[in-house]
Amino acid sequence: MHNDIERILKTETEIQDKIKQLGEQISKDYEGKNPVMICILKGGIVFLSDLARNISTHVQLDFMSLSSYGDSTKSSGVVKIKKDIDADISDRDVIIVEDIVDSGLTLKYLNEYFKQHNSSSIKICTLLDKPNAHKIDLKIDYVGFEVGNEFVVGYGLDYAQKYRNLPYIGILKKEIYS
Ligand code: IMP
Ligand code: MG
């Protein structure tokens, strides 16, 4: 698997250091509260798992699965709920935990969806952001790293359902796509 990687963008240490900082910030912002952290499967699972353990306030964990990318590297723009959350989020603080924001279409959809469920607040936390790829105006509250428009894998992010278990974030060799 490691042989398929052309270049490492963020090392394991860089990622863990960043998650410590994000965890401290979220712990401060939600002190005395009990937000529902909603992980967007499957990409967000590795990030959520490390992030939650760096937060010192109570948090509730929940999961949502959406269809977006299929096995290709292009956004379909179509968002469909495959698994909904279990928690009742009315009057609750919600933190959406994403692996990466690309076009922003997924988050636009989720923002509206959670608003309809009368959550008291919604914040977005993403490990990676591709600011140059946004197709809509989007406020992201917590960002780990900004990256360019290249396709990245690892630390939860996949190509054709592979590479999610890489402990770092990298770029695949060209020949892997063909
Ligand atoms: P958006 O709706 O275009 O913002 O799509 C976001 C989703 O697309 C992410 O949650 C990922 O699942 C997927 N995605 C976007 N860029 C990448 C990438 O570079 N590598 C792997 N998955 C990606
Ligand atoms: Mg995703």
Side-chain angles (χ1 to χ4, degrees), residues 40-44 66 68-69 98-100 106 157 164:
I40 309 305
L41 296 171
K42 307 180 181 90
L66 307 164
S68 51
Y69 260 56
E98 259 283 29
D99 50 0
I100 189 164
T106 306
L157 294 130
R164 294 194 196 275

Side-chain angles (χ1 to χ4, degrees), residues 89-150:
I89 55 162
S90 57
D91 300 321
R92 297 292 302 275
D93 297 306
V94 166
I95 305 173
I96 304 173
V97 180
E98 259 283 29
D99 50 0
I100 189 164
V101 180
D102 187 14
S103 69
L105 294 172
T106 306
L107 281 171
K108 179 181 186 257
Y109 174 85
L110 288 177
N111 233 327
E112 281 157 19
Y113 184 75
F114 293 139
K115 258 187 214 152
Q116 282 167 15
H117 285 69
N118 302 313
S119 59
S120 46
S121 73
I122 305 168
K123 281 193 181 181
I124 296 168
C125 178
T126 187
L127 181 66
L128 302 174
D129 182 27
K130 294 179 174 173
N132 299 327
H134 292 190
K135 287 189 181 142
I136 51 149
D137 216 12
L138 195 67
K139 181 178 169 272
I140 308 177
D141 304 278
Y142 307 102
V143 178
F145 306 98
E146 291 190 349
V147 293
N149 281 355
E150 58 232 314

Side-chain angles (χ1 to χ4, degrees), residues 25-86:
Q25 188 60 51
I26 291 172
S27 302
K28 244 192 236 160
D29 294 350
Y30 289 88
E31 207 188 325
K33 296 183 176 171
N34 179 16
V36 186
M37 298 181 80
I38 300 177
C39 171
I40 309 305
L41 296 171
K42 307 180 181 90
I45 185 69
V46 182
F47 179 39
L48 173 85
S49 153
D50 282 338
L51 180 64
R53 284 177 287 176
N54 280 280
I55 294 174
S56 56
T57 59
H58 289 294
V59 292
Q60 186 173 339
L61 304 183
D62 214 320
F63 301 87
M64 192 165 191
S65 178
L66 307 164
S67 68
S68 51
Y69 260 56
D71 278 352
S72 96
T73 61
K74 285 255 164 64
S75 175
S76 64
V78 180
V79 180
K80 217 177 125 194
I81 298 180
K82 290 199 280 186
K83 185 225 168 287
D84 207 343
I85 48 171
D86 298 322

